[in-house]
Amino acid sequence: MQKLQDYWNERSSRQRMILGAAFLGTFLVIAGFGWMASRPSMALIYGGLDSAQAGEVIAGIERAGVPYEVRGDAIYVASDQRDRLRMDLAAEGLPAAGSTGYELLDGMSGFGTTSQMFDAAYWRAKEGELARTILALPNVQTARVHLAIENGRGYRRDQNGSASVTLTTSGGTITREQAAALKYLVSSGVPGMQPDRVTVIDSQRGIIAATEDQSGADRAAEMKRNVERILEPHVASAMPSSS
């Protein structure tokens, strides 16, 4: 100990500062390695949830007392507890489905429920079930389906109902082929509705024309090409030949 003290006293002020900084840096590096070694490894439990769903999931994780991290729209938890925690959250109904389906009809009883009330609940449940099916697409983050069905009972040959599907994607875009599939999906779930009565809307890009549809610009371009093809032979024959 005396030798260390003598060594320290023999150093200049500059050398003492360098030695102190080296000692502090070494201490911080060792402490950092110790913290990383004691820190549990994290694994993804859920990603791509909206703010409401993520808030409910985080509240459930905090109740379980499991360490977690939020990285963007992804939630990470201790890897050794992820599977058990996922089952516990599922038992609590988390993450909650973005919409209510046919279970909406379970709470309706025959007493005090009019036919108009049942019809309204039925179509609302139908919208929820269709939205759930659409959410199965890998690049769809949120989906809302709105059905506009005319009121009325009895046998009808024609139904002029329409529908709209509003989507929010998680990076990718909805292609025209997917839009066409969504049109047939929704129309097939509503008796009498035709696919051309369904509108698919991307929250970022607006209305998406299906494969068999054409936007105004596409139709104008096609008409221009047709006119050019019709006039080209006549214009060519009317031009004087150069000698």
Side-chain angles (χ1 to χ4, degrees), residues 8-192:
W8 178 260
N9 292 332
E10 292 174 357
R11 302 302 100 186
S12 63
S13 299
R14 180 181 178 83
Q15 290 175 333
R16 289 178 183 178
M17 291 178 61
I18 295 174
L19 290 173
F23 175 79
L24 180 60
T26 303
F27 174 78
L28 292 177
V29 170
I30 295 174
F33 278 117
W35 177 78
M36 293 180 62
S38 60
R39 182 170 173 263
S41 60
M42 309 299 284
L44 176 68
I45 183 170
Y46 290 114
L49 301 177
D50 59 37
S51 56
Q53 293 174 319
E56 294 176 349
V57 169
I58 290 175
I61 295 174
E62 291 178 344
R63 288 194 299 269
V66 177
Y68 71 93
E69 292 180 2
V70 178
R71 306 175 188 174
D73 61 351
I75 303 174
Y76 288 77
V77 297
S79 57
D80 59 341
Q81 303 187 56
R82 181 190 62 178
D83 296 338
R84 179 188 60 81
L85 181 60
R86 183 173 289 171
M87 295 180 65
D88 293 342
L89 292 175
E92 299 178 18
L94 299 175
S99 55
T100 305
Y102 286 133
E103 65 270 15
L104 183 67
L105 305 178
D106 295 339
M108 303 188 68
S109 62
F111 300 97
T113 301
T114 64
S115 60
Q116 290 80 8
M117 293 170 59
F118 182 84
D119 286 346
Y122 172 79
W123 290 116
R124 182 182 172 192
K126 176 75 74 173
E127 292 173 346
E129 289 294 330
L130 290 170
R132 286 179 176 177
T133 304
I134 295 171
L135 285 172
L137 292 174
N139 58 334
V140 175
Q141 186 172 3
T142 62
R144 292 290 302 273
V145 177
H146 296 279
L147 301 176
I149 307 299
E150 292 184 359
N151 295 327
R153 290 183 171 274
Y155 294 99
R156 301 179 57 186
R157 298 184 59 183
D158 298 320
Q159 290 191 16
N160 296 321
S162 60
S164 64
V165 181
T166 305
L167 307 171
T168 300
T169 59
S170 56
T173 59
I174 299 297
T175 64
R176 290 193 172 193
E177 290 75 14
Q178 288 178 321
L182 291 175
K183 284 173 172 282
Y184 282 100
L185 169 67
V186 175
S187 63
S188 62
V190 180

